[in-house]
Amino acid sequence: MFRMKTVLAASAAALLSMPAFAGDIMINDAYARASGMNAKAGAAFFQIMNHGTEDDRLIAAKSDVAKRVELHTHKEIADGVMKMMEVEEGFPIAAGGMHALKRGGDHVMFMGLNAPFVDGETLTVTLVFEKAGEMTVEIPVDLNRNPMGGGMQHGKPEDGKMGEGQGTMTMGDGKSN
């Protein structure tokens, strides 16, 4: 039975291996995690690429998986002590640029989880951009992912290429892209 669950989880991840697009904005390599089955909080990480000629900004995220969903980052407050805090102004994505949401940095924070995150399942999250508007992303839960995973190294793709990612997107009308 455990083996069947593993095969099903791997199959689901393979089905979600295409990047998500909304106009000039692309979400790539998305995944979510919580620290354990009894965790009261979780987070989502991904790359936001702006293939357009105009700067944009991720200004909010929404989901029914938690009581509160916020854009967060980590900042050093004193003597190497890091504090997680909300970023009310959101995350800028320069025209032709990429902004990585990753562990230990910027991320989408889910507080007051309504149910545990289950490895291999997906979360529906609506990302709100200042110019591109709303896009709904299906983010796979990956509780075993290596923090340095996803082909990212120091905030840049290893080989300068977009690479394969996880997550799919549907527009506000419910149609998949």
Side-chain angles (χ1 to χ4, degrees):
M1 184 64 164
F2 177 74
R3 185 178 186 141
M4 180 65 109
K5 279 183 152 180
T6 303
V7 169
L8 291 174
S11 298
L15 289 173
L16 297 172
S17 65
M18 298 302 294
F21 289 91
D24 293 328
I25 298 292
M26 181 176 92
I27 304 300
N28 192 34
D29 200 30
Y31 75 102
R33 60 180 288 115
S35 59
M37 291 303 287
N38 295 323
K40 299 200 185 311
F45 312 96
F46 44 87
Q47 301 165 8
I48 307 169
M49 284 105 175
N50 182 350
H51 295 288
T53 57
E54 192 174 25
D55 294 348
D56 207 338
R57 178 177 295 273
L58 176 63
I59 57 174
K62 304 183 269 188
S63 181
D64 62 2
V65 302
K67 292 171 183 57
R68 291 182 60 187
V69 181
E70 297 178 352
L71 302 178
H72 272 215
T73 195
H74 289 87
K75 296 221 180 199
E76 185 175 339
I77 55 173
D79 298 327
V81 176
M82 300 298 285
K83 179 181 180 185
M84 196 174 355
M85 56 185 43
E86 184 177 11
V87 181
E88 292 182 19
E89 69 276 9
F91 306 128
I93 305 96
M98 187 270 292
H99 187 88
L101 278 64
K102 57 187 178 180
R103 288 158 71 177
D106 298 341
H107 57 279
V108 174
M109 188 76 192
F110 305 101
M111 296 172 289
L113 297 180
N114 294 324
F117 284 5
V118 177
D119 199 50
E121 292 189 355
T122 59
L123 311 177
T124 302
V125 179
T126 300
L127 303 175
V128 183
F129 292 89
E130 193 170 69
K131 295 180 180 148
E134 292 188 356
M135 67 187 292
T136 301
V137 183
E138 296 296 324
I139 300 177
V141 174
D142 186 344
L143 301 178
N144 301 305
R145 184 152 175 167
N146 180 330
M148 297 306 289
M152 295 298 296
Q153 186 173 28
H154 306 296
K156 296 181 182 176
E158 289 176 14
D159 58 5
K161 298 178 184 173
M162 293 300 175
E164 291 189 32
Q166 295 179 323
T168 58
M169 182 275 308
T170 56
M171 297 301 290
D173 61 5
K175 295 179 183 171
S176 289
N177 286 351

